[in-house]
Amino acid sequence: MILYTNFSAMRFGFRKLGKGAAFALAVALAWAVAAAHPAGSEENSRPKITGAVFNIVRNNFPYKSQIDFPKMLKKGLDNLETRIDEVLVEWDKNGGGFKLVAGQQEREFRYKEPESWDDLEKISSDAFSFIRKNTNPEERSDSDIEYALVNGMLSTVDRHSRIIPPRDYEEFIIETEGSFTGLGIVISTSKGWITVVSPIEDTPAYRAGMKSGDRIVQIENESTVNMSIVEAVHRLRGPKGEPVNIRILRDSMTKPTPLTIVRDVIKIESVEHHLFPGGILYLKIKNFQRNTTDSAIEAIKEIKKELGRKKAEIEGIILDVRDNPGGLLNQAASISDMFLKYGTVFSVKSGTNVSPYSASGRDRFELREKTVVLINSGSASASEIVTGALKENDRALTMGTKTFGKGSIQNIFELEDGAALKLTIGNYLIPGEKSIHRVGITPDIFIEEVGFSKKKVVYKTPEFAFLLEKYREEREDEEGVRDPDPPVHSFKILNESLTEEEETPDGVSKPPSDGEKKKRREKDPLIAAARRIITGTNGIYRSDMLKTAGEILEAIGREEDLRIREKLAGLKVDWAEGENGDGRANLRVKVIPEEPVFKAGDEGRIKVEVFNAGSEPVYKLTALISSENRLLDGREFVFGRINPGQKVKWEAPLKTPENVRTRNDECVIKFFDSSRKEVFSQTFAVSFKGNERPAISYNYEIVDDGRFGSKGNGDGRISEGETVSLLFRIKNSGAGAGEELGLYLKNRSGKRVFLEKAIEELGEMRPGEMKDVAMRFRVEKQDKDKAAEKAEFDLTANDFQIGFSSKYGIEIPVVAAAEFSPEPGAVTLPRDTEILGGSFEGAQAVFTAGAGSSYRTEGAAGQWLKIKLDEDAAGWVKTSDTVAFEGEKPSPDFRHALERSPLITLEAVPTVTDSSEIEITGSAKDAEPVVNVSFFNNNDKIHVINSGRKEQNFTFTIPLEDGLNRLEITAKDSGNLKTVRTFFIRKTS
């Protein structure tokens, strides 16, 4: 979290900020209202906010050298083509311009590379106007075009700066200014998923069993794939006492698990405290909110009072900021001030200007006890300020793992259209003017927690030295980014809970009592180590504690190594210590089989066998898989000591999710020995075989005649005051089965439409299978001036077990009721005729009747005749399309007419190739015109076909990058139904 204005991890349900609460140094909200766009004949076709955004960035962004105008233009247009189906940008390889495709039109833009903000505004505005004019306004708004364009450009300036759309900005204001209810989790986005950074203790989410790293894959009836954080917050927030239904997926789960969590007012005590034997005070700061310092002082006074009765004093303090995502800067400064009599707490750097903030030297409240600060990779922003202030001012010893590394400061600037610009205006520095942005703070004592079982290994093979090498590789192209400081001591510590079998969340537990919390903290191995360090060291300063901590740390290291050795011995691994010679050069590695193949839903194992063909033993051998596939990346293997001529094998279980895609992944297995450095590596491949996916076809009949709980006059129309059912006929027209298919109807009509039944679990649906589903809603009566014109819905079919989701838009006019008169009898349809699901032009076609077929009639509404098809189904035809029935018994002859998204078919595509390009041949076809087919490689749009054919054939050559290529073809029809076909090709180098 970047102080309290950061959006990279939004917290909901636990923070209230007053307008005067913000620290006044560069982090208070800054308001800048954009000037109105000059009037003119082109006013409506020009961007509204682009010029204002450029002015704000020009005047407030401090790092002018990072601004690259040609790069901004390219990124802005590339981002735009990804967001708008009908748009493609083709860049001139020789420079000097680009070609824009928008709908059926093309235009070449010839220009010199932009050299100023004015140049950039002119070119981007011309591109905006062309795209606005030639794309379908029903598919996108003007702001969709502009925000995509501007955010793409801003991403090259600073990855944390962007436009916040109006509704998202309203949510932010609620977040920082208001009081609301929620679940109690910190979320972020990771690889397109809404991911839990951490559940907040004693909140509904925490009690429901949510854990850090959980991916929220569904909220109510909506997939969260590519959902923004603010959209997720909006859906998860709601009135106190109301439940929200979600599904979560964690690495240990083979399928998403449903959870129902009841929203509540989130009252977070940001400070937890306990008194351990020996007068050691434990302070856990969970986040920095308005009352954090006051709460900490209150806790310390309470402990001192308790000790005073025993004529004792506080002997030391453990300050725990692990998994603390940050918060208010003024609170971080105040907490630091409690420990510091003098010195710099932090500095703010804006451009070349550095403004320090020093300790106040106050006498109000000062702590002079020995202090250990516990940190980890979840310690960010404000918690890093406290850690840096105490470490660099020699006031506290730090222990744990490297912190997150968030040092940006952002301001918010309001814009004319209700949106806002979030812009980085500087960085904060820890004492010594050290930037921690993307670097983090390394603890003095680097301790990694490990755990071992046959099913799971958590050894974190690459220790700090290896992490440093990897960090340098990732940052080699970045200027001015320093290396993390090395630790003074490092060792591993056994934590049995890391490999305990996880229980699937199945309910809500009671909040833990203070006694239970204390017991849990006492079992924490890092807290236990910190207690020993405080008890056994001298002095209150970091340097003095480090001088006298050596023997204690060596003892802890020996004890932990013995515990690890005993644990591994139980798993038949010899963890003996020894000097590695050249034996590791004679190791022979075999993956069994050489290329494992895992099918969707299978439980298998990755087996690695190591043979020592040398004459010397190898000690403490471990291995780690590095892969682009998250199912494989980070898998660990433990072999231990391997004697000459000995063969050792380790198996890592692998549960393959049902939603896995067919792909082939290159894996690098890296081996480490007791030197704690990588000694060699070997490459192998793993293949995954995905299942075919279902595809949903549907139609719907408007039912207002009493069937399926409806209440109306039977005229086949939606009218105010009626309760209407939509009878959906759902068919799996795909090649694969649905396993846990659900159907959801979402209202987009506001309060005038009230859904009574909107969810149906269809369960398993095999290819070709059809099911009827009735959804029901009520149309409220409105004032004449506010009468509803149409009922709008989203129909979504989801199967999270196999990773399938489709959404369809439905619009039905709301009209005055027609007079319905019963007319029993029968009619003949002399020609092939569409039977509609309602009595009005444009109603959904539900069946096609064969020429000469005949049907019983139920009644008429104006020119429309209602006919009976079977016991549950009816439909409407025009009276003029019928003739009198002359037989004895009607003979129905009809077939289903179903809506479906375009069908994409492809000729066989390899999963592995050494070619630099591949030819894709196939087609996209539909009953409606296919208006757009787009081709992507690794999210880069490389080709588009904007047409109106019902069958669009294509042969297209796609360039491939080294490694895994994620190829995607999308096809959209004139009814805005879209199909996405995703497949993977790995290019070997």
Side-chain angles (χ1 to χ4, degrees):
M1 189 163 196
I2 308 173
L3 305 177
Y4 76 85
T5 56
N6 175 45
F7 284 77
S8 65
M10 287 200 71
R11 183 191 306 123
F12 47 91
F14 78 102
R15 183 176 58 196
K16 297 180 182 179
L17 302 180
K19 290 185 178 178
F23 186 72
L25 181 60
V27 294
L29 292 178
W31 311 106
V33 178
H37 196 284
S41 60
E42 294 291 320
E43 179 181 2
N44 292 331
S45 67
R46 310 300 287 179
K48 290 183 178 179
I49 62 168
T50 301
V53 169
F54 287 175
N55 283 332
I56 295 169
V57 176
R58 176 166 30 198
N59 295 327
N60 295 276
F61 186 69
Y63 307 110
K64 302 294 192 283
S65 62
Q66 292 178 209
I67 295 172
D68 182 330
F69 295 113
K71 187 177 179 181
M72 288 180 70
L73 178 65
K74 187 176 189 311
K75 185 63 176 178
L77 290 173
D78 287 348
N79 192 50
L80 184 59
E81 72 171 1
T82 302
R83 302 301 178 94
I84 309 294
D85 288 324
E86 302 164 79
V87 174
L88 178 71
V89 184
E90 295 180 354
W91 295 92
D92 189 331
K93 293 180 181 179
N94 298 318
F98 58 89
K99 182 173 75 173
L100 264 183
V101 177
Q104 301 296 325
Q105 302 299 316
E106 296 181 2
R107 177 181 164 187
E108 294 210 4
F109 289 73
R110 291 293 169 189
Y111 68 94
K112 294 180 180 178
E113 285 194 341
E115 298 177 351
S116 66
W117 290 106
D118 291 341
D119 292 346
L120 188 62
E121 183 178 1
K122 172 67 170 62
I123 299 169
S124 60
S125 294
D126 287 348
F128 170 89
S129 299
F130 177 74
I131 292 168
R132 181 185 182 276
K133 180 180 178 181
N134 294 292
T135 54
N136 186 356
E138 293 183 1
E139 304 300 324
R140 51 89 198 133
S141 66
D142 289 357
S143 59
D144 289 337
I145 301 173
E146 190 170 12
Y147 294 164
L149 188 60
V150 173
N151 279 333
M153 290 190 281
L154 289 174
S155 69
T156 71
V157 174
D158 170 69
R159 65 193 184 102
H160 298 296
S161 298
R162 68 177 182 89
I163 299 295
I164 309 168
R167 194 183 74 170
D168 294 0
Y169 183 51
E170 289 174 8
E171 293 291 337
F172 169 69
I173 295 300
I174 294 172
E175 164 92 3
T176 56
E177 298 286 345
S179 172
F180 49 88
T181 58
L183 307 186
I185 50 177
V186 180
I187 62 173
S188 184
T189 53
S190 176
K191 298 181 181 179
W193 291 104
I194 298 297
T195 304
V196 177
V197 175
S198 60
I200 301 162
E201 290 187 13
D202 305 342
T203 64
Y206 182 84
R207 294 192 288 272
M210 295 190 74
K211 293 188 176 184
S212 177
D214 285 351
R215 296 182 296 282
I216 301 175
V217 299
Q218 181 180 355
I219 302 172
E220 297 298 350
N221 63 339
E222 288 189 77
S223 167
T224 63
V225 176
N226 294 323
M227 182 182 287
S228 73
I229 295 175
V230 181
E231 286 175 325
V233 171
H234 180 74
R235 287 157 176 75
L236 291 167
R237 185 178 295 150
K240 175 184 177 181
E242 283 195 1
V244 59
N245 299 296
I246 64 174
R247 287 179 184 253
I248 65 168
L249 185 65
R250 64 176 63 132
D251 288 342
S252 62
M253 297 175 178
T254 56
K255 63 179 182 179
T257 297
L259 279 179
T260 298
I261 307 177
V262 179
R263 300 176 176 102
D264 199 357
V265 176
I266 308 300
K267 298 178 180 178
I268 298 299
E269 292 296 333
S270 65
V271 178
E272 176 191 333
H273 69 281
H274 305 289
L275 181 64
F276 291 126
I280 297 175
L281 169 63
Y282 173 80
L283 282 177
K284 168 74 173 176
I285 300 182
K286 303 171 186 177
N287 68 301
F288 291 92
Q289 58 189 31
R290 197 163 37 181
N291 63 347
T292 296
T293 305
D294 290 340
S295 296
I297 291 173
E298 191 67 30
I300 294 165
K301 286 181 176 179
E302 180 184 320
I303 294 297
K304 285 188 172 183
K305 186 176 180 181
E306 180 182 338
L307 288 170
R309 289 193 291 266
K310 302 175 183 178
K311 297 184 178 180
E313 295 181 349
I314 296 175
E315 297 297 328
I317 298 173
I318 300 173
L319 182 63
D320 191 346
V321 292
R322 289 175 295 175
D323 295 317
N324 180 326
L328 290 174
L329 178 59
N330 65 333
Q331 293 296 304
S334 297
I335 290 291
S336 302
D337 230 351
M338 289 166 55
F339 293 85
L340 299 174
K341 203 162 192 176
Y342 48 81
T344 300
V345 177
F346 66 94
S347 302
V348 171
K349 181 179 181 182
S350 183
T352 58
N353 183 50
V354 178
S355 303
Y357 173 79
S358 300
S360 65
R362 63 184 179 185
D363 297 325
R364 178 169 72 94
F365 199 91
E366 186 180 357
L367 299 173
R368 303 299 295 164
E369 292 80 14
K370 281 185 282 188
T371 302
V372 174
V373 181
L374 301 183
I375 55 177
N376 65 5
S377 60
S379 305
S381 191
S383 56
E384 291 176 291
I385 285 178
V386 174
T387 305
L390 271 57
K391 179 183 179 184
E392 299 300 328
N393 281 294
D394 200 34
R395 179 60 188 85
L397 186 149
T398 55
M399 188 165 74
T401 55
K402 193 169 71 69
T403 62
F404 189 84
K406 278 290 186 189
S408 295
I409 302 172
Q410 273 108 20
N411 275 358
I412 302 295
F413 300 86
E414 277 189 346
L415 301 169
E416 182 190 43
D417 69 342
L421 169 64
K422 182 184 70 156
L423 181 68
T424 293
I425 53 89
N427 288 319
Y428 67 77
L429 310 175
I430 62 174
E433 296 189 2
K434 294 180 180 179
S435 171
I436 58 99
H437 193 55
R438 304 188 72 184
V439 181
I441 298 173
T442 305
D444 301 305
I445 306 168
F446 191 84
I447 300 180
E448 290 180 310
E449 298 176 273
V450 302
F452 308 93
S453 73
K454 278 294 184 184
K455 291 186 176 182
K456 187 177 182 181
V457 174
V458 181
Y459 185 65
K460 300 180 181 176
T461 298
E463 301 187 17
F464 186 81
F466 180 83
L467 291 173
L468 180 58
E469 291 176 13
K470 186 176 180 182
Y471 175 88
R472 286 171 174 165
E473 288 175 8
E474 293 174 350
R475 302 288 182 267
E476 62 182 356
D477 295 330
E478 296 185 32
E479 295 182 6
V481 178
R482 65 180 182 86
D483 283 347
D485 297 320
V488 180
H489 299 276
S490 64
F491 57 86
K492 295 182 183 289
I493 196 165
L494 186 65
N495 187 342
E496 298 277 14
S497 66
L498 295 179
T499 53
E500 290 176 355
E501 286 292 314
E502 292 183 341
E503 294 183 4
T504 300
D506 58 0
V508 177
S509 60
K510 293 181 179 179
S513 65
D514 287 342
E516 290 169 333
K517 288 180 185 177
K518 185 175 180 180
K519 287 180 181 178
R520 188 171 62 210
R521 301 301 184 195
E522 286 176 333
K523 292 180 180 179
D524 186 314
L526 260 71
I527 293 174
R531 290 168 59 185
R532 289 178 64 177
I533 290 168
I534 288 173
T535 302
T537 56
N538 299 322
I540 69 166
Y541 296 109
R542 167 179 172 261
S543 53
D544 292 335
M545 293 176 71
L546 281 172
K547 285 177 185 176
T548 53
E551 290 185 8
I552 298 169
L553 293 171
E554 287 177 10
I556 294 174
R558 287 193 301 270
E559 292 167 13
E560 291 300 322
D561 197 57
L562 179 61
R563 291 180 66 210
I564 291 170
R565 188 180 304 179
E566 290 174 349
K567 179 68 178 179
L568 287 171
L571 299 173
K572 297 183 170 51
V573 174
D574 182 354
W575 202 243
E577 189 73 63
E579 187 73 26
N580 280 291
D582 295 329
R584 61 198 185 196
N586 296 298
L587 294 177
R588 305 291 181 263
V589 177
K590 182 189 292 185
V591 177
I592 308 172
E594 291 184 5
E595 184 172 324
V597 179
F598 296 93
K599 295 180 180 179
D602 280 359
E603 291 192 24
R605 293 177 180 275
I606 296 178
K607 303 176 185 179
V608 178
E609 184 180 270
V610 182
F611 175 69
N612 186 352
S615 59
E616 298 181 24
V618 176
Y619 296 92
K620 290 188 174 181
L621 190 72
T622 62
L624 175 79
I625 290 179
S626 176
S627 172
E628 290 179 304
N629 191 330
R630 69 169 184 84
L631 292 173
L632 304 168
D633 190 49
R635 295 272 171 176
E636 295 188 272
F637 302 78
V638 182
F639 305 98
R641 171 175 169 162
I642 307 179
N643 293 316
Q646 185 181 10
K647 186 185 294 181
V648 177
K649 182 171 63 178
W650 188 273
E651 300 179 355
L654 181 65
K655 294 181 180 179
T656 309
E658 295 279 1
N659 62 1
V660 75
R661 301 276 186 175
T662 297
R663 58 191 285 174
N664 179 283
D665 288 279
E666 183 179 79
C667 301
V668 179
I669 184 166
K670 301 177 180 181
F671 290 83
F672 305 81
D673 65 11
S674 60
S675 68
R676 300 181 179 180
K677 294 181 180 179
E678 182 182 341
V679 293
F680 71 97
S681 64
Q682 183 166 312
T683 301
F684 67 99
V686 176
S687 292
F688 291 90
K689 178 66 175 175
N691 292 325
E692 294 284 355
R693 295 297 199 266
I696 297 300
S697 301
Y698 75 96
N699 64 37
Y700 61 88
E701 174 194 342
I702 297 170
V703 178
D704 63 341
D705 57 7
R707 289 178 294 151
F708 308 109
S710 64
K711 296 176 184 178
N713 70 340
D715 66 354
R717 304 180 185 188
I718 297 178
S719 303
E720 290 186 355
E722 287 189 331
T723 297
V724 178
S725 290
L726 296 181
L727 178 59
F728 288 99
R729 294 175 181 88
I730 306 296
K731 181 181 179 180
N732 180 359
S733 53
E739 298 197 11
E740 293 183 6
L741 200 63
L743 197 68
Y744 311 90
L745 193 67
K746 179 183 177 182
N747 174 34
R748 289 192 284 112
S749 311
K751 295 180 180 179
R752 63 193 178 212
V753 171
F754 180 81
L755 288 172
E756 293 185 353
K757 182 173 184 262
I759 299 175
E760 184 74 25
E761 298 296 332
L762 300 176
E764 183 180 7
M765 282 192 75
R766 300 198 173 278
E769 188 175 355
M770 185 177 291
K771 293 184 180 182
D772 286 359
V773 176
M775 304 292 198
R776 190 170 63 250
F777 61 91
R778 185 173 68 250
V779 183
E780 305 289 358
K781 290 186 177 181
Q782 304 282 331
D783 296 336
K784 289 183 179 181
D785 294 340
K786 299 179 181 178
E789 295 181 357
K790 55 187 175 182
E792 300 179 75
F793 305 97
D794 284 331
L795 179 69
T796 303
N798 282 338
D799 190 332
F800 286 96
Q801 172 78 352
I802 61 171
F804 167 77
S805 180
S806 286
K807 183 185 288 186
Y808 313 95
I810 294 173
E811 295 183 359
I812 309 171
V814 176
V815 297
E819 183 178 347
F820 178 76
S821 57
E823 291 186 9
V827 293
T828 297
L829 300 176
R831 296 173 298 278
D832 287 351
T833 305
E834 280 191 340
I835 301 173
L836 306 185
S839 64
F840 54 92
E841 295 286 355
Q844 171 81 61
V846 290
F847 299 100
T848 301
S853 59
S854 51
Y855 305 85
R856 296 194 182 280
T857 60
E858 293 191 345
Q863 63 176 325
W864 297 90
L865 192 65
K866 187 176 185 179
I867 60 175
K868 188 79 171 174
L869 293 113
D870 58 32
E871 287 301 316
D872 294 323
W876 297 84
V877 294
K878 284 186 177 180
T879 305
S880 58
D881 290 334
T882 68
V883 296
F885 174 66
E886 296 179 351
E888 295 183 4
K889 185 179 180 181
S891 300
D893 176 19
F894 59 90
R895 61 184 181 276
H896 290 276
L898 298 167
E899 290 273 4
R900 64 160 295 162
S901 54
L903 175 66
I904 299 175
T905 56
L906 298 174
E907 292 185 5
V909 178
T911 56
V912 182
T913 181
D914 59 2
S915 299
S916 59
E917 59 185 28
I918 190 166
E919 189 174 80
I920 303 294
T921 299
S923 66
K925 59 183 178 181
D926 194 66
E928 302 291 333
V930 178
V931 297
N932 174 263
V933 184
S934 295
F935 302 82
F936 297 81
N937 187 8
N938 295 329
N939 294 320
D940 179 26
K941 186 187 284 187
I942 53 179
H943 188 58
V944 66
I945 302 171
N946 293 322
S947 72
R949 301 174 185 171
K950 291 187 178 181
E951 182 170 357
Q952 177 64 61
N953 297 313
F954 52 80
T955 297
F956 182 66
T957 300
I958 295 181
L960 299 177
E961 302 172 6
D962 285 346
L964 198 67
N965 292 260
R966 182 181 187 272
L967 304 180
E968 188 174 278
I969 301 175
T970 69
K972 185 173 67 175
D973 67 18
S974 58
N976 199 30
L977 301 183
K978 181 187 285 190
T979 298
V980 180
R981 181 78 180 267
T982 303
F983 53 103
F984 295 87
I985 300 175
R986 181 167 65 84
K987 179 186 177 298
T988 58
S989 56

